[in-house]
Amino acid sequence: MIENRPFATAFAHLVLILGVLIVAFPIYYTFIASTQSVQQILRPPLPLLPGDQFAENYGQALFGGVGRIGGVSVWTLLFNTSVMALGIALGKIVISILSAFAIVFFRFPFRMAFFWLIFMTLMLPVEVRILPTYKVMVDLGLLDTYAGLILPLVASATATLLFRQFFMTIPGELVEAARVDAAGPMRFFRDILLPLSKTNIAALFVILFIYGWTQYLWPLLVTNDNQMNTIVIALKKMVSFADADTPWNLVMVTAILAIVPPVLVVVLMQRWFVKGLVESEK
């Protein structure tokens, strides 16, 4: 029996609201700064209400370009980052689910050895293998290309492990029923495993999309052309050591626009994300 405690309920809601305000206030303050002129930003205190430069600042960032990054518009930066994040997320999911499918449902020599080799790559993040990876990209001519941004980050041992653990919970009777119905491996994968895995795929997509969106080190190395910069790299380039040389209004606009796509992905896929983490569809 759940006791009705109005005071405890009100206190819990108060704590939650306070936590939301603490987390959201820096984002709100950044939005306020994005609607001010550079002079207003450099002359504290900053007001708590939006300014009158909203249309001008956002219009210049989206359509006019930013001088400190070669006149590249934020639209271009958002497009580059979206292509990279989607490519990494979808590539990791496709490769991981197929490799887990092969490891769990096929019997071949050294099957577990291959799995442990994949698993051991967790000890080799991009930072460890960055020099040979960069050399490969140079030799293949993939600098300043979307393939160069995506391919070195497209494999995921973590996602392979998660799909393997999920596939191992599939009842053997289901596999036998598919064999009785003369379903081949790819039909079994397409008609049975994929529908059962959709919540896991959705949860992984959210995590991997944000992982790809927030990448900094690899895009910094593999892109020299400003037209191929991601939005995280552009934000760093826009900030100068001297405050007076930094277009802080455009920096704040870019920061707000950089936040929007990951937030939309999390909000739109929130139900699937939670379901994929805590539930099973078997």
Side-chain angles (χ1 to χ4, degrees):
M1 180 178 179
I2 300 176
E3 298 183 14
N4 185 16
R5 302 188 200 177
F7 176 77
T9 303
F11 179 74
H13 281 82
L14 180 62
V15 172
L16 289 173
I17 292 171
L18 182 61
V20 170
L21 291 176
I22 292 174
V23 172
F25 182 74
I27 300 175
Y28 174 74
Y29 207 59
T30 303
F31 171 74
I32 294 300
S34 72
T35 64
Q36 310 288 337
S37 65
V38 177
Q39 292 74 21
Q40 290 171 315
I41 295 174
L42 294 177
R43 190 173 59 247
L46 200 66
L48 293 177
L49 294 176
D52 56 356
Q53 301 293 312
F54 176 87
E56 181 178 347
N57 290 345
Y58 279 80
Q60 181 179 349
L62 289 171
F63 306 108
V66 182
R68 288 191 61 84
I69 53 174
V72 180
S73 69
V74 176
W75 278 124
T76 302
L77 302 175
L78 288 172
F79 178 78
N80 294 341
T81 315
S82 299
V83 170
M84 180 180 176
L86 287 172
I88 290 173
L90 296 177
K92 281 177 178 288
I93 289 172
V94 171
I95 292 175
S96 300
I97 198 170
L98 289 175
S99 59
F101 173 61
I103 290 169
V104 174
F105 293 102
F106 289 83
R107 298 293 180 266
F108 53 89
F110 307 109
R111 177 172 59 96
M112 292 308 299
F114 285 120
F115 168 72
W116 286 112
L117 285 174
I118 295 172
F119 190 72
M120 286 170 60
T121 61
L122 286 173
M123 297 182 288
L124 297 172
V126 177
E127 292 78 7
V128 174
R129 50 185 170 85
I130 200 161
L131 286 178
T133 305
Y134 182 79
K135 179 66 166 57
V136 171
M137 293 298 105
V138 172
D139 292 342
L140 294 177
L142 295 180
L143 297 183
D144 291 317
T145 64
Y146 293 120
L149 285 169
I150 294 170
L151 290 180
L153 305 175
V154 82
S156 173
T158 304
T160 302
L161 174 65
L162 292 176
F163 279 122
R164 174 183 176 269
Q165 295 305 113
F166 173 71
F167 289 163
M168 289 179 68
T169 65
I170 301 294
E173 294 81 2
L174 194 60
V175 181
E176 292 300 326
R179 289 174 180 167
V180 170
D181 290 341
M186 295 313 298
R187 182 182 172 188
F188 173 73
F189 175 77
R190 183 184 67 248
D191 295 343
I192 297 177
L193 287 185
L194 279 183
L196 290 175
S197 305
K198 60 184 179 181
T199 53
N200 303 72
I201 292 173
L204 278 171
F205 177 81
V206 174
I207 296 170
L208 297 176
F209 180 86
I210 296 174
Y211 166 82
W213 188 271
T214 56
Q215 283 297 307
Y216 175 77
L217 180 59
W218 181 248
L220 179 65
L221 288 175
V222 82
T223 58
N224 300 312
D225 185 0
N226 288 326
Q227 292 289 337
M228 290 299 299
N229 282 162
T230 62
I231 201 163
V232 177
I233 301 301
L235 272 171
K236 177 63 177 68
K237 288 184 176 181
M238 289 168 65
V239 177
S240 172
F241 288 107
D243 281 350
D245 293 336
T246 302
W248 285 111
N249 54 341
L250 301 183
V251 171
M252 298 303 173
V253 170
T254 307
I256 288 295
L257 294 175
I259 294 171
V260 171
V263 170
L264 286 178
V265 168
V266 172
V267 170
L268 295 176
M269 300 189 67
Q270 180 181 7
R271 183 172 64 89
W272 289 96
F273 178 70
V274 175
K275 194 175 182 180
L277 293 180
V278 302
E279 294 184 7
S280 175
E281 293 193 13
K282 297 187 296 297

